[in-house]
Coordinates of all heavy atoms in Angstrom, one line a residue:
S27 N 0.8 -1.2 0.0 CA 0.0 0.0 0.0 C 0.9 1.2 0.0 O 2.1 1.2 0.2 CB -0.9 0.0 1.2 OG -0.5 0.7 2.3
I28 N 0.2 2.3 -0.3 CA 1.0 3.6 -0.3 C 1.6 4.0 1.0 O 2.7 4.4 1.1 CB 0.0 4.7 -0.8 CG1 -0.4 4.5 -2.2 CG2 0.7 6.1 -0.6 CD1 -1.4 5.4 -2.8
Q29 N 0.9 3.7 2.1 CA 1.4 4.0 3.5 C 2.7 3.3 3.7 O 3.6 3.9 4.2 CB 0.3 3.7 4.5 CG 0.8 4.1 5.9 CD -0.3 3.8 7.0 OE1 -1.3 3.2 6.7 NE2 0.0 4.3 8.2
I30 N 2.7 2.0 3.4 CA 3.9 1.2 3.6 C 5.1 1.7 2.8 O 6.2 1.8 3.3 CB 3.7 -0.3 3.4 CG1 2.7 -0.9 4.4 CG2 5.0 -1.1 3.3 CD1 2.3 -2.3 4.2
K31 N 4.8 2.1 1.6 CA 5.8 2.7 0.7 C 6.4 4.0 1.3 O 7.6 4.2 1.2 CB 5.3 2.9 -0.7 CG 5.0 1.6 -1.5 CD 4.5 1.8 -2.8 CE 4.2 0.5 -3.5 NZ 3.5 0.7 -4.8
K32 N 5.5 4.8 1.8 CA 6.0 6.1 2.4 C 6.9 5.8 3.6 O 7.9 6.4 3.8 CB 4.8 6.9 2.8 CG 4.1 7.6 1.7 CD 2.9 8.4 2.2 CE 2.1 9.0 1.0 NZ 1.0 9.8 1.5
F33 N 6.5 4.8 4.4 CA 7.3 4.4 5.6 C 8.7 3.9 5.1 O 9.7 4.2 5.7 CB 6.6 3.4 6.5 CG 5.6 4.0 7.4 CD1 4.4 3.3 7.5 CD2 5.8 5.1 8.1 CE1 3.4 3.8 8.4 CE2 4.8 5.6 9.0 CZ 3.6 5.0 9.1
G34 N 8.6 3.1 4.1 CA 9.9 2.5 3.5 C 10.8 3.6 3.0 O 12.0 3.6 3.2
F35 N 10.2 4.6 2.3 CA 10.9 5.7 1.8 C 11.5 6.6 2.9 O 12.7 6.9 2.9 CB 10.0 6.6 1.0 CG 10.6 7.7 0.2 CD1 11.4 7.5 -0.9 CD2 10.4 9.0 0.6 CE1 12.0 8.5 -1.6 CE2 11.0 10.1 -0.1 CZ 11.8 9.8 -1.2
A36 N 10.7 6.8 4.0 CA 11.2 7.6 5.1 C 12.3 6.8 5.9 O 13.3 7.4 6.3 CB 10.0 7.9 6.1
E37 N 12.1 5.5 6.0 CA 13.1 4.7 6.7 C 14.4 4.8 5.9 O 15.5 4.9 6.6 CB 12.6 3.2 6.8 CG 13.7 2.4 7.5 CD 13.3 0.9 7.5 OE1 12.4 0.5 6.7 OE2 13.9 0.2 8.3
K38 N 14.4 4.7 4.6 CA 15.6 4.7 3.8 C 16.4 6.0 4.1 O 17.6 6.0 4.3 CB 15.3 4.6 2.3 CG 16.6 4.6 1.5 CD 16.2 4.9 0.0 CE 17.5 5.0 -0.9 NZ 18.5 6.0 -0.4
Y39 N 15.7 7.1 4.1 CA 16.3 8.4 4.3 C 16.8 8.6 5.7 O 17.9 9.1 5.9 CB 15.4 9.6 3.9 CG 15.5 9.8 2.4 CD1 14.5 9.3 1.5 CD2 16.5 10.5 1.8 CE1 14.6 9.4 0.2 CE2 16.6 10.6 0.4 CZ 15.6 10.1 -0.4 OH 15.7 10.2 -1.7
L40 N 16.0 8.2 6.7 CA 16.5 8.3 8.1 C 17.7 7.4 8.3 O 18.6 7.7 9.0 CB 15.4 7.9 9.0 CG 14.4 9.0 9.3 CD1 13.2 8.5 10.1 CD2 15.0 10.2 10.0
K41 N 17.7 6.2 7.7 CA 18.8 5.3 7.8 C 20.1 5.9 7.2 O 21.2 5.9 7.8 CB 18.5 3.9 7.1 CG 19.6 2.9 7.3 CD 19.5 2.3 8.7 CE 20.5 1.1 8.8 NZ 21.6 1.4 9.6
D42 N 19.9 6.6 6.1 CA 21.1 7.3 5.5 C 21.6 8.4 6.4 O 22.8 8.5 6.6 CB 20.7 7.9 4.1 CG 20.5 6.8 3.0 OD1 20.9 5.6 3.2 OD2 19.9 7.2 2.0
Y43 N 20.7 9.1 7.0 CA 21.1 10.2 7.9 C 21.7 9.7 9.1 O 22.7 10.2 9.6 CB 19.9 11.1 8.2 CG 19.4 12.0 7.1 CD1 18.1 12.0 6.7 CD2 20.3 12.9 6.5 CE1 17.7 12.8 5.7 CE2 19.9 13.7 5.5 CZ 18.6 13.7 5.1 OH 18.2 14.5 4.1
T44 N 21.2 8.6 9.7 CA 21.8 8.1 10.9 C 23.1 7.4 10.6 O 24.0 7.4 11.5 CB 20.8 7.1 11.6 OG1 20.5 6.0 10.8 CG2 19.6 7.8 12.1
D45 N 23.3 6.9 9.4 CA 24.6 6.3 9.1 C 25.7 7.4 9.1 O 26.8 7.2 9.5 CB 24.6 5.6 7.7 CG 23.8 4.3 7.8 OD1 23.6 3.8 8.9 OD2 23.5 3.8 6.7
S46 N 25.3 8.6 8.6 CA 26.3 9.7 8.6 C 26.3 10.5 9.9 O 27.3 11.2 10.1 CB 25.9 10.7 7.4 OG 24.7 11.3 7.6
N47 N 25.4 10.3 10.7 CA 25.3 11.0 12.0 C 24.8 10.0 13.1 O 23.7 10.1 13.6 CB 24.4 12.2 11.9 CG 24.6 13.1 13.1 OD1 25.3 12.8 14.1 ND2 23.9 14.3 13.1
P48 N 25.6 9.0 13.4 CA 25.2 7.9 14.2 C 24.9 8.2 15.7 O 24.4 7.3 16.4 CB 26.3 6.9 14.1 CG 27.5 7.7 13.8 CD 27.0 8.8 13.0
I49 N 25.1 9.4 16.2 CA 24.8 9.7 17.6 C 23.7 10.7 17.7 O 23.4 11.2 18.8 CB 26.1 10.2 18.3 CG1 26.6 11.5 17.7 CG2 27.2 9.1 18.4 CD1 27.7 12.2 18.6
N50 N 23.0 10.9 16.6 CA 21.8 11.8 16.7 C 20.6 11.0 17.2 O 20.0 10.3 16.5 CB 21.5 12.4 15.3 CG 20.5 13.5 15.4 OD1 19.5 13.3 16.1 ND2 20.7 14.6 14.6
V51 N 20.3 11.2 18.5 CA 19.3 10.5 19.2 C 17.9 10.7 18.6 O 17.1 9.8 18.4 CB 19.3 10.8 20.7 CG1 18.1 10.2 21.4 CG2 20.6 10.2 21.3
S52 N 17.6 12.0 18.2 CA 16.3 12.3 17.6 C 16.1 11.6 16.3 O 15.0 11.0 16.0 CB 16.2 13.8 17.3 OG 16.3 14.5 18.5
L53 N 17.1 11.5 15.4 CA 17.0 10.8 14.2 C 16.8 9.3 14.4 O 16.0 8.6 13.8 CB 18.2 11.0 13.3 CG 18.3 12.4 12.6 CD1 19.6 12.5 11.8 CD2 17.1 12.7 11.7
L54 N 17.6 8.8 15.4 CA 17.5 7.3 15.7 C 16.1 7.0 16.2 O 15.6 5.9 15.9 CB 18.6 6.9 16.7 CG 20.0 6.9 16.1 CD1 21.0 6.8 17.3 CD2 20.2 5.7 15.2
Y55 N 15.6 7.9 17.1 CA 14.3 7.6 17.6 C 13.2 7.6 16.5 O 12.4 6.7 16.5 CB 13.9 8.6 18.7 CG 12.7 8.3 19.4 CD1 12.6 7.3 20.4 CD2 11.5 9.0 19.1 CE1 11.4 7.0 21.1 CE2 10.3 8.7 19.7 CZ 10.3 7.7 20.7 OH 9.1 7.4 21.3
A56 N 13.3 8.6 15.6 CA 12.4 8.6 14.5 C 12.5 7.4 13.6 O 11.5 6.8 13.2 CB 12.6 9.9 13.7
L57 N 13.7 6.9 13.4 CA 13.9 5.7 12.7 C 13.3 4.5 13.4 O 12.6 3.7 12.7 CB 15.4 5.4 12.5 CG 15.8 4.1 11.8 CD1 15.2 4.1 10.4 CD2 17.3 4.0 11.7
A58 N 13.4 4.4 14.7 CA 12.8 3.3 15.4 C 11.3 3.3 15.3 O 10.7 2.2 15.2 CB 13.3 3.3 16.9
V59 N 10.7 4.5 15.4 CA 9.3 4.6 15.3 C 8.8 4.1 13.9 O 7.8 3.3 13.8 CB 8.8 6.0 15.6 CG1 7.3 6.2 15.3 CG2 9.0 6.3 17.1
I60 N 9.5 4.5 12.9 CA 9.1 4.1 11.5 C 9.3 2.6 11.4 O 8.5 1.9 10.8 CB 9.9 4.9 10.5 CG1 9.3 6.3 10.4 CG2 9.8 4.2 9.1 CD1 10.1 7.3 9.6
Q61 N 10.4 2.1 11.9 CA 10.6 0.6 11.9 C 9.4 -0.1 12.6 O 8.9 -1.2 12.1 CB 11.9 0.2 12.5 CG 13.1 0.7 11.7 CD 14.4 0.6 12.4 OE1 14.5 0.8 13.6 NE2 15.5 0.4 11.6
L62 N 9.0 0.4 13.7 CA 7.8 -0.2 14.4 C 6.6 -0.1 13.6 O 5.8 -1.1 13.5 CB 7.6 0.5 15.7 CG 8.6 0.1 16.8 CD1 8.3 1.0 18.1 CD2 8.4 -1.3 17.2
Q63 N 6.3 1.0 12.9 CA 5.1 1.1 12.1 C 5.1 0.1 10.9 O 4.1 -0.2 10.4 CB 5.1 2.6 11.5 CG 4.7 3.6 12.5 CD 3.4 3.4 13.2 OE1 2.4 3.0 12.5 NE2 3.3 3.7 14.4
Q64 N 6.3 -0.4 10.5 CA 6.4 -1.4 9.5 C 6.5 -2.8 10.1 O 6.8 -3.7 9.4 CB 7.7 -1.1 8.6 CG 7.6 0.2 7.9 CD 8.9 0.4 7.1 OE1 8.9 0.1 5.9 NE2 9.9 0.9 7.7
S65 N 6.3 -2.9 11.4 CA 6.4 -4.2 12.1 C 7.8 -4.8 12.0 O 7.9 -6.0 12.1 CB 5.3 -5.2 11.6 OG 4.1 -4.6 11.8
K66 N 8.8 -4.0 12.0 CA 10.2 -4.5 12.0 C 10.7 -4.4 13.4 O 11.5 -3.5 13.8 CB 11.1 -3.6 11.0 CG 10.7 -3.7 9.6 CD 11.6 -2.9 8.7 CE 11.2 -3.1 7.2 NZ 12.1 -2.2 6.4
L67 N 10.2 -5.3 14.2 CA 10.4 -5.2 15.7 C 11.9 -5.4 16.0 O 12.4 -4.7 16.9 CB 9.6 -6.2 16.4 CG 8.0 -6.0 16.3 CD1 7.3 -7.1 17.1 CD2 7.6 -4.6 16.8
G68 N 12.6 -6.3 15.4 CA 14.0 -6.6 15.6 C 14.8 -5.4 15.3 O 15.7 -5.0 16.1
S69 N 14.6 -4.8 14.2 CA 15.3 -3.6 13.8 C 15.0 -2.4 14.7 O 15.9 -1.7 15.1 CB 15.0 -3.1 12.3 OG 15.3 -4.1 11.4
A70 N 13.8 -2.3 15.1 CA 13.4 -1.2 16.0 C 14.1 -1.4 17.4 O 14.6 -0.4 17.9 CB 11.9 -1.1 16.2
R71 N 14.1 -2.6 17.9 CA 14.7 -2.8 19.2 C 16.2 -2.5 19.1 O 16.8 -1.9 20.0 CB 14.6 -4.3 19.6 CG 13.3 -4.6 20.2 CD 13.3 -6.0 20.8 NE 11.9 -6.4 21.1 CZ 11.2 -7.3 20.4 NH1 11.7 -7.8 19.3 NH2 10.0 -7.6 20.8
E72 N 16.9 -2.9 18.0 CA 18.3 -2.7 17.8 C 18.6 -1.2 17.8 O 19.5 -0.7 18.4 CB 18.7 -3.3 16.5 CG 20.2 -3.2 16.2 CD 20.6 -3.9 14.9 OE1 20.1 -5.0 14.7 OE2 21.3 -3.2 14.1
T73 N 17.7 -0.4 17.1 CA 17.9 1.0 17.0 C 17.6 1.7 18.4 O 18.4 2.5 18.8 CB 16.9 1.6 16.0 OG1 17.1 1.0 14.7 CG2 17.0 3.1 15.9
L74 N 16.6 1.2 19.1 CA 16.4 1.7 20.5 C 17.5 1.4 21.4 O 17.9 2.3 22.2 CB 15.0 1.2 21.0 CG 13.8 1.7 20.2 CD1 12.6 0.8 20.6 CD2 13.5 3.1 20.5
F75 N 18.1 0.2 21.3 CA 19.2 -0.1 22.2 C 20.4 0.8 21.8 O 21.2 1.1 22.7 CB 19.5 -1.6 22.2 CG 18.6 -2.4 23.0 CD1 17.9 -3.4 22.4 CD2 18.4 -2.2 24.3 CE1 17.0 -4.2 23.2 CE2 17.5 -2.9 25.1 CZ 16.8 -3.9 24.5
K76 N 20.6 1.1 20.6 CA 21.7 2.0 20.2 C 21.5 3.4 20.9 O 22.4 4.0 21.3 CB 21.7 2.2 18.7 CG 22.8 3.0 18.2 CD 22.8 3.2 16.7 CE 23.4 2.1 16.0 NZ 23.6 2.3 14.5
I77 N 20.2 3.8 20.9 CA 19.9 5.1 21.6 C 20.3 5.0 23.1 O 21.0 5.9 23.6 CB 18.4 5.5 21.4 CG1 18.1 5.8 20.0 CG2 18.1 6.7 22.3 CD1 16.6 5.9 19.7
I78 N 19.9 3.9 23.7 CA 20.2 3.8 25.1 C 21.7 3.7 25.3 O 22.2 4.3 26.4 CB 19.6 2.5 25.7 CG1 18.1 2.6 25.7 CG2 20.1 2.1 27.1 CD1 17.5 3.7 26.6
S79 N 22.5 3.2 24.4 CA 24.0 3.2 24.6 C 24.5 4.6 24.5 O 25.6 4.9 25.0 CB 24.6 2.2 23.5 OG 24.6 2.8 22.3
I80 N 23.9 5.5 23.7 CA 24.3 6.8 23.6 C 23.8 7.7 24.7 O 24.6 8.5 25.3 CB 23.8 7.4 22.2 CG1 24.4 6.6 21.1 CG2 24.2 8.9 22.1 CD1 23.8 6.9 19.7
Q81 N 22.5 7.6 25.0 CA 21.9 8.4 26.0 C 21.0 7.5 26.9 O 19.8 7.3 26.7 CB 21.1 9.5 25.3 CG 20.5 10.5 26.2 CD 19.8 11.6 25.5 OE1 20.0 11.8 24.3 NE2 18.9 12.3 26.2
P82 N 21.7 6.9 28.0 CA 21.0 5.9 28.8 C 19.7 6.4 29.4 O 18.8 5.6 29.7 CB 22.0 5.6 29.9 CG 23.3 6.0 29.3 CD 23.0 7.1 28.4
N83 N 19.5 7.7 29.6 CA 18.3 8.2 30.3 C 17.3 8.8 29.4 O 16.5 9.6 29.8 CB 18.7 9.2 31.4 CG 19.4 8.5 32.5 OD1 19.1 7.4 32.9 ND2 20.4 9.2 33.0
H84 N 17.3 8.4 28.1 CA 16.3 8.9 27.1 C 15.0 8.3 27.4 O 14.7 7.1 27.0 CB 16.8 8.6 25.7 CG 16.1 9.3 24.6 ND1 15.1 8.7 23.8 CD2 16.1 10.6 24.2 CE1 14.6 9.5 23.0 NE2 15.2 10.7 23.2
E85 N 14.1 9.0 28.1 CA 12.8 8.5 28.5 C 11.9 8.0 27.4 O 11.3 6.9 27.5 CB 12.1 9.5 29.4 CG 12.8 9.7 30.8 CD 12.9 8.4 31.6 OE1 11.9 7.6 31.6 OE2 13.9 8.3 32.2
P86 N 11.8 8.7 26.3 CA 10.9 8.2 25.2 C 11.4 6.8 24.7 O 10.5 5.9 24.5 CB 11.0 9.2 24.1 CG 11.4 10.5 24.8 CD 12.3 10.0 26.0
T87 N 12.7 6.6 24.6 CA 13.2 5.3 24.2 C 12.9 4.2 25.2 O 12.4 3.1 24.9 CB 14.7 5.4 24.0 OG1 14.9 6.3 22.9 CG2 15.3 4.0 23.6
K88 N 13.1 4.5 26.5 CA 12.8 3.6 27.6 C 11.4 3.2 27.6 O 11.0 2.0 27.7 CB 13.3 4.1 28.9 CG 14.8 4.1 29.0 CD 15.4 5.0 30.1 CE 14.8 4.8 31.5 NZ 15.5 5.6 32.5
D89 N 10.5 4.2 27.4 CA 9.0 4.0 27.4 C 8.7 3.1 26.2 O 7.8 2.2 26.3 CB 8.3 5.3 27.3 CG 8.4 6.1 28.5 OD1 8.8 5.6 29.6 OD2 8.1 7.3 28.5
L90 N 9.2 3.3 25.0 CA 8.9 2.5 23.9 C 9.4 1.1 24.0 O 8.7 0.2 23.6 CB 9.6 3.2 22.6 CG 8.9 2.9 21.3 CD1 7.4 3.1 21.3 CD2 9.6 3.8 20.2
L91 N 10.5 0.9 24.6 CA 11.0 -0.5 24.8 C 10.1 -1.2 25.8 O 9.8 -2.4 25.6 CB 12.5 -0.4 25.4 CG 13.6 -0.2 24.4 CD1 14.9 0.1 25.1 CD2 13.7 -1.4 23.5
V92 N 9.6 -0.5 26.8 CA 8.6 -1.2 27.7 C 7.4 -1.5 27.0 O 6.8 -2.6 27.2 CB 8.3 -0.2 28.9 CG1 7.2 -0.7 29.7 CG2 9.6 -0.1 29.8
Q93 N 6.9 -0.6 26.1 CA 5.7 -0.9 25.4 C 5.9 -2.2 24.5 O 5.0 -3.0 24.4 CB 5.3 0.3 24.5 CG 4.7 1.4 25.3 CD 4.3 2.6 24.4 OE1 4.0 2.4 23.2 NE2 4.4 3.8 25.0
I94 N 7.0 -2.2 23.8 CA 7.3 -3.3 22.9 C 7.3 -4.6 23.7 O 6.7 -5.6 23.3 CB 8.6 -3.2 22.2 CG1 8.5 -2.0 21.2 CG2 9.1 -4.4 21.5 CD1 9.9 -1.6 20.6
Q95 N 8.0 -4.6 24.9 CA 8.1 -5.8 25.7 C 6.7 -6.2 26.3 O 6.4 -7.4 26.3 CB 9.1 -5.6 26.8 CG 10.5 -5.6 26.2 CD 11.6 -5.2 27.2 OE1 11.3 -4.8 28.3 NE2 12.9 -5.3 26.8
S96 N 6.0 -5.3 26.7 CA 4.7 -5.6 27.3 C 3.6 -6.0 26.3 O 2.7 -6.8 26.7 CB 4.2 -4.5 28.2 OG 3.9 -3.3 27.5
H97 N 3.7 -5.5 25.1 CA 2.7 -5.8 24.1 C 3.1 -6.8 23.1 O 2.4 -7.2 22.2 CB 2.2 -4.5 23.4 CG 1.5 -3.5 24.3 ND1 0.3 -3.7 24.8 CD2 1.9 -2.3 24.8 CE1 -0.1 -2.7 25.6 NE2 0.9 -1.8 25.6
G98 N 4.4 -7.1 23.1 CA 4.9 -8.1 22.2 C 4.8 -7.6 20.7 O 4.8 -8.4 19.8
G99 N 4.7 -6.3 20.5 CA 4.6 -5.7 19.2 C 3.2 -5.7 18.6 O 3.0 -5.2 17.5
S100 N 2.3 -6.3 19.3 CA 0.9 -6.4 18.7 C 0.3 -5.0 18.4 O -0.5 -4.9 17.5 CB 0.0 -7.2 19.7 OG -0.1 -6.5 20.9
Q101 N 0.7 -4.0 19.2 CA 0.2 -2.7 19.0 C 0.5 -2.2 17.6 O -0.3 -1.6 16.9 CB 0.8 -1.7 20.0 CG 0.4 -0.3 19.8 CD 1.0 0.6 20.9 OE1 1.6 0.1 21.9 NE2 1.0 1.9 20.7
W102 N 1.7 -2.5 17.1 CA 2.2 -2.1 15.8 C 1.7 -3.0 14.7 O 1.5 -2.6 13.6 CB 3.7 -1.9 15.8 CG 4.0 -0.7 16.7 CD1 4.0 0.6 16.4 CD2 4.4 -0.8 18.1 NE1 4.3 1.4 17.5 CE2 4.5 0.5 18.5 CE3 4.6 -1.8 19.0 CZ2 4.9 0.9 19.8 CZ3 4.9 -1.5 20.3 CH2 5.1 -0.2 20.7
E103 N 1.5 -4.3 15.0 CA 1.0 -5.2 14.0 C -0.4 -4.7 13.5 O -0.7 -4.8 12.4 CB 0.9 -6.6 14.6 CG 2.2 -7.3 14.8 CD 2.9 -7.7 13.5 OE1 2.2 -7.9 12.5 OE2 4.1 -7.8 13.5
S104 N -1.2 -4.2 14.5 CA -2.6 -3.8 14.1 C -2.6 -2.6 13.3 O -3.6 -2.3 12.6 CB -3.4 -3.6 15.4 OG -2.9 -2.6 16.2
T105 N -1.5 -1.8 13.3 CA -1.5 -0.5 12.5 C -0.9 -0.8 11.1 O -0.9 0.1 10.3 CB -0.7 0.6 13.2 OG1 0.6 0.2 13.3 CG2 -1.4 1.0 14.5
K106 N -0.4 -2.0 10.9 CA 0.2 -2.3 9.6 C -0.9 -2.2 8.5 O -1.9 -2.8 8.6 CB 0.9 -3.6 9.6 CG 1.8 -3.9 8.4 CD 2.5 -5.2 8.7 CE 3.4 -5.5 7.5 NZ 4.1 -6.8 7.7
S107 N -0.6 -1.6 7.4 CA -1.5 -1.4 6.3 C -1.1 -2.3 5.1 O 0.1 -2.3 4.8 CB -1.6 0.0 5.9 OG -2.5 0.2 4.8
Y108 N -2.0 -2.9 4.5 CA -1.6 -3.8 3.3 C -2.2 -3.2 2.1 O -3.1 -2.6 1.9 CB -2.1 -5.2 3.5 CG -1.5 -5.9 4.6 CD1 -2.0 -6.0 5.9 CD2 -0.2 -6.5 4.4 CE1 -1.4 -6.6 6.9 CE2 0.4 -7.2 5.5 CZ -0.2 -7.2 6.7 OH 0.5 -7.9 7.7

């Protein structure tokens, strides 16, 4: 669907930006959210843990990790569009 293509397009650009600026927590967080919207839970977790390694007290990241663990990703599975 168009929505998935837009997320994929955004993910590609954010990934490019984070590759060139790997310690930008805001970009990494945005990338993780887009990965979740595409149900890429493993990639999102990896990105979120990268944020924690850079900024251990980043509350939005900690909150998102708790949500992923407590919901098993089902919250994002239901928003996936086909």
Side-chain angles (χ1 to χ4, degrees):
S27 97
I28 293 172
Q29 183 178 10
I30 289 174
K31 288 179 185 175
K32 287 181 183 177
F33 282 134
F35 187 74
E37 180 186 17
K38 179 197 178 307
Y39 278 98
L40 280 171
K41 185 78 174 110
D42 289 346
Y43 286 126
T44 58
D45 286 346
S46 64
N47 193 356
I49 61 169
N50 187 318
V51 171
S52 296
L53 288 176
L54 288 167
Y55 186 79
L57 176 60
V59 169
I60 287 174
Q61 290 167 329
L62 284 172
Q63 290 296 324
Q64 298 180 93
S65 299
K66 296 181 177 180
L67 298 179
S69 296
R71 281 188 193 104
E72 183 178 315
T73 302
L74 292 168
F75 284 122
K76 182 182 278 189
I77 294 168
I78 293 296
S79 74
I80 296 166
Q81 189 175 338
N83 294 320
H84 191 255
E85 289 302 320
T87 296
K88 290 165 50 175
D89 292 343
L90 204 49
L91 282 168
V92 168
Q93 287 179 29
I94 291 170
Q95 290 172 350
S96 65
H97 295 289
S100 60
Q101 175 180 348
W102 292 277
E103 288 288 336
S104 64
T105 61
K106 189 173 181 181
S107 178
Y108 293 96

